[in-house]
Amino acid sequence: MADNHIYMQLTSCSENVGVVRVAAAAFAAQADLTLSEIDELKVAISEAVSNSIIHGYENRQDGKIEVSMQRYADRLEFKVIDYGKGIEDIVLARQPSYSSDPERMGLGFVFMETFMDGLEVTSTIGQGTTVIMYKKIQMTGMH
Amino acid sequence: MGLKVETMVVQGRLLVRLEGELDVYQVDQVRAVMEQALDDSGSQTLILDLENMSFIDSSGLGVLLGRYKRLQASGGTMLAASIQPQVHTVFELSGLLKLIRIYPALSDALQNA
């Protein structure tokens, strides 16, 4: 059972990336993370939601993205779900410099992996992608 | 949230000041402003003043990298001044720190540009 939980549903407009980032930072601030850990989390969540918009929905603004944030005793878990085109080869997509656009560095998944303590990506072509990532936190005292 | 971009030419060098958070929402606008300023100024030196840029992710990095590549292709250089900790971490991880020169303050960057 999660100690606390937030669920957000948003359309795939790029301005929503900042909204989710601010919400994630505020959610993480409840868990005694350092400022630098919160900064890391903000990058990871930005990358996940941006991927859904840019790749999942190919910059269409009418897609649905679901974000859930859960606080457990030992970790914060973030789930980002889209119902876009899906990722053909997840192993390849997680490599640095994997990008179809020369101006992008293909660092989205690298940042998620580096800045979080765990990352799991599942995807089905034509159905969408789910990213689950977590950050460890200090064990909270028993209530 | 949000981002402000300002450009000016200082002694023939293009100064770009970014304030706020640079993510996918702002990249098209920032790219257009920077490209226009590079075209208009004809400058081969671009100095980024990042004192008030509090956040960047890989989308934002892409815009800066794109301008770096443009300058590099024509023999130009890109410098950055007053980088905040979050931006520094992302620059470091991406390898951008090895490509551009970093100065603690804008005055240092202007002196060395």
Side-chain angles (χ1 to χ4, degrees):
Chain A
M1 276 283 286
D3 296 335
N4 191 11
H5 173 233
I6 287 179
Y7 172 78
M8 303 171 83
Q9 183 181 308
L10 37 133
T11 48
S12 53
C13 303
S14 60
E15 60 246 63
N16 285 339
V17 175
V19 176
V20 177
R21 184 164 66 239
V22 168
F27 186 72
Q30 303 171 356
D32 251 1
L33 293 183
T34 64
L35 282 179
S36 132
E37 286 170 325
I38 291 177
D39 277 345
E40 293 175 353
L41 172 69
K42 283 167 71 180
V43 177
I45 199 90
S46 272
E47 302 298 347
V49 179
S50 297
N51 269 355
S52 290
I53 294 170
I54 299 166
H55 303 296
Y57 293 115
E58 297 175 300
N59 292 309
R60 284 199 335 269
Q61 304 208 345
D62 59 351
K64 181 171 88 170
I65 299 173
E66 294 167 332
V67 178
S68 72
M69 312 181 193
Q70 318 231 41
R71 189 182 72 214
Y72 296 97
D74 62 340
R75 69 189 189 282
L76 298 177
E77 195 174 281
F78 297 84
K79 191 189 289 191
V80 178
I81 303 173
D82 71 60
Y83 302 91
K85 69 170 189 175
I87 301 169
E88 203 164 314
D89 186 337
I90 293 173
V91 175
L92 187 63
R94 288 176 70 160
Q95 301 295 312
S97 301
Y98 170 82
S99 179
S100 38
D101 179 344
E103 199 146 294
R104 294 185 60 80
M105 299 171 85
L107 287 171
F109 279 122
V110 175
F111 284 171
M112 286 182 244
E113 261 172 21
T114 307
F115 290 138
M116 301 298 277
D117 296 311
L119 174 71
E120 186 188 310
V121 186
T122 51
S123 190
T124 308
I125 291 295
Q127 290 185 27
T129 300
T130 297
V131 169
I132 300 173
M133 50 196 178
Y134 68 87
K135 203 155 184 71
K136 289 180 192 156
I137 57 175
Q138 294 288 320
M139 292 285 276
T140 48
M142 297 298 282
H143 295 292
Chain B
M1 280 193 296
L3 183 108
K4 205 167 99 184
V5 54
E6 271 180 353
T7 65
M8 64 195 87
V9 179
V10 182
Q11 293 158 0
R13 294 158 299 187
L14 177 63
L15 177 65
V16 176
R17 179 172 291 142
L18 296 167
E19 295 185 8
E21 306 201 341
L22 180 54
D23 68 15
V24 64
Y25 178 45
Q26 310 280 353
V27 291
D28 289 341
Q29 183 214 347
V30 172
R31 182 186 302 108
V33 169
M34 288 177 80
E35 284 292 290
Q36 188 69 53
L38 281 167
D39 288 344
D40 291 348
S41 66
S43 175
Q44 285 296 304
T45 305
L46 191 161
I47 303 171
L48 295 167
D49 178 1
L50 303 181
E51 185 175 8
N52 293 308
M53 187 166 87
S54 53
F55 178 87
I56 192 166
D57 63 12
S58 71
S59 298
L61 266 178
V63 173
L64 302 185
L65 182 79
R67 308 298 72 72
Y68 165 80
K69 284 181 175 169
R70 169 184 168 158
L71 283 160
Q72 195 203 25
S74 58
T77 49
M78 191 159 106
L79 301 76
S82 314
I83 300 186
Q84 300 307 306
Q86 188 275 339
V87 177
H88 190 276
T89 305
V90 167
F91 276 18
E92 192 168 32
L93 263 172
S94 66
L96 194 66
L97 269 195
K98 291 183 189 143
L99 302 177
I100 65 175
R101 280 182 287 156
I102 303 294
Y103 294 94
L106 181 59
S107 53
D108 303 315
L110 284 165
Q111 263 176 21
N112 290 286

